[in-house]
Amino acid sequence: MATLLDGKKLSQKIISQLKEDIQKLKKLPPGLAVILVGDNPASKIYVSKKEKTAKELGMYSEVHRLPRAASEKEILSLIQFLNESPKIHGILVQMPLPPHIQTQFILNAVSPHKDVDGFHPFNLGRLMMGDPLFIPCTPQGIMELLKEYHIDVAGKKAVVVGRSLIVGKPMAHLLLSQNATVTICHSKTKNLEEECQTADILIAAIGQPHFIKNSFVKKGAVVVDVGMNRLKDKIVGDVDFDTVQEKVSYITPVPGGIGPMTIAMLLKNTYKAFLNTAL
Ligand code: GUN
């Protein structure tokens, strides 16, 4: 039976450390602004979780909920305002944005020094150069979780399934920066199952429930499940947990794996942005 990579437990440890650090501050608290456009049900849940945790930590937090029909111009002027606000150290624009908005314009407008999601080209470029400032939260959370369990990626074969800006691409760069041999797979990959079978470390960020089956994994592999899919009344991952866990050495549960780590990294990045401005 596999060992569970307990993201919930580690995220709580990180959050209580941050809480202690923030309580010691004498000045205005770190401030996080979240922009949510439209009413995507999953995004609404993620944003409330981020807001709730930021408040628990003693951070200042504001959520700007804009209607689905909001224009690019409106979003850009809000970002401009937040870029200049001394109360705000971190800005996050919840993805996905409605289809009439050009996501890249919006991400480019966030000040790279307040870009706690790490999606600005400046931050993605620095990550690629091996000198990161802000690292996207989900891949950063995965690396912290692997480190907590003393899983060394150097020299290992890592396969990342999914090539999104939020997870797949930054994940591949982080693994590479720690000397893993990395393959990125996606919807056009031939022999996807065979590629996955070569992985010592398999990162599933596909967005399809139970996509990775027992036959996809190598015996003793480490499996990280980034998926959060609603199946009837349950949230399930991209990995068919019950059958895969019999074969592998470590696996993340869903929920309680990568989800809470993402939130912990967002707050860690916000605290870092705050410390950087205080210097
Ligand atoms: N949508 C899904 N994950 C994320 C994330 O980490 N950040 C933002 N901004 N949107 C997301």
Side-chain angles (χ1 to χ4, degrees):
M1 243 215 7
T3 301
L4 281 188
L5 297 169
D6 191 342
K8 191 166 176 199
K9 190 164 128 204
L10 177 58
S11 71
Q12 282 165 352
K13 196 163 107 182
I14 294 166
I15 284 169
S16 41
Q17 182 61 54
L18 278 172
K19 194 168 177 176
E20 249 178 57
D21 293 342
I22 289 169
Q23 274 166 354
K24 286 188 207 139
L25 296 170
K26 305 228 161 35
K27 306 182 296 182
L28 84 168
L32 173 67
V34 178
I35 301 174
L36 172 63
V37 185
D39 47 16
N40 178 310
S43 292
K44 275 164 65 178
I45 297 171
Y46 298 151
V47 167
S48 344
K49 276 202 181 139
K50 290 169 184 174
E51 184 184 24
K52 185 168 155 263
T53 319
K55 289 207 166 125
E56 272 168 26
L57 280 184
M59 283 188 182
Y60 169 72
S61 144
E62 38 184 71
V63 178
H64 297 265
R65 293 181 169 84
L66 304 187
R68 202 188 127 75
S71 67
E72 239 163 47
K73 212 169 142 199
E74 270 174 85
I75 306 170
L76 290 172
S77 68
L78 173 58
I79 292 174
Q80 205 49 50
F81 173 78
L82 296 169
N83 279 342
E84 285 163 20
S85 165
K87 281 195 299 195
I88 298 300
H89 304 90
I91 302 170
L92 175 151
V93 184
Q94 185 65 30
M95 299 290 135
L97 288 166
H100 67 281
I101 305 290
Q102 296 186 73
T103 301
Q104 206 51 51
F105 283 175
I106 302 299
L107 297 180
N108 289 355
V110 175
S111 160
H113 300 282
K114 294 192 176 186
D115 173 35
V116 286
D117 250 337
F119 296 159
H120 189 283
F122 174 86
N123 282 312
L124 289 168
R126 281 189 61 162
L127 174 63
M128 191 171 164
M129 294 174 83
D131 175 32
L133 177 62
F134 292 110
I135 302 172
C137 303
T138 301
Q140 191 186 348
I142 293 171
M143 295 311 279
E144 294 247 338
L145 193 56
L146 294 177
K147 190 166 137 216
E148 177 74 6
Y149 286 82
H150 308 290
I151 297 167
D152 185 11
V153 307
K156 304 263 175 64
K157 176 82 199 284
V159 175
V160 180
V161 191
R163 55 175 155 178
S164 71
L165 191 72
I166 296 179
V167 185
K169 284 180 188 147
M171 186 74 241
H173 280 288
L174 276 177
L175 288 161
L176 183 61
S177 73
Q178 295 198 12
N179 301 314
T181 302
V182 185
T183 300
I184 307 179
C185 296
H186 46 78
S187 52
K188 300 279 189 296
T189 298
K190 296 207 168 79
N191 306 324
L192 180 65
E193 185 169 341
E194 284 81 356
E195 291 287 352
C196 292
Q197 286 163 356
T198 67
D200 301 312
I201 297 166
L202 181 65
I203 313 282
I206 307 141
Q208 288 188 43
H210 295 167
F211 185 90
I212 302 290
K213 312 262 190 279
N214 177 291
S215 61
F216 284 53
V217 297
K218 179 158 88 177
K219 194 163 181 292
V222 175
V223 176
V224 173
D225 189 350
V226 183
M228 291 233 245
N229 311 289
R230 186 167 290 277
L231 198 64
K232 293 179 196 134
D233 261 358
K234 257 181 31 180
I235 299 290
V236 301
D238 291 349
V239 176
D240 186 15
F241 183 91
D242 292 342
T243 64
V244 169
Q245 61 93 25
E246 294 165 3
K247 201 169 170 187
V248 300
S249 60
Y250 292 92
I251 188 166
T252 58
V254 176
I258 300 309
M261 286 304 295
T262 298
I263 295 180
M265 292 304 109
L266 169 68
L267 300 165
K268 201 170 157 180
N269 280 351
T270 305
Y271 184 57
K272 179 176 168 174
F274 166 85
L275 291 179
N276 287 349
T277 58
L279 288 176

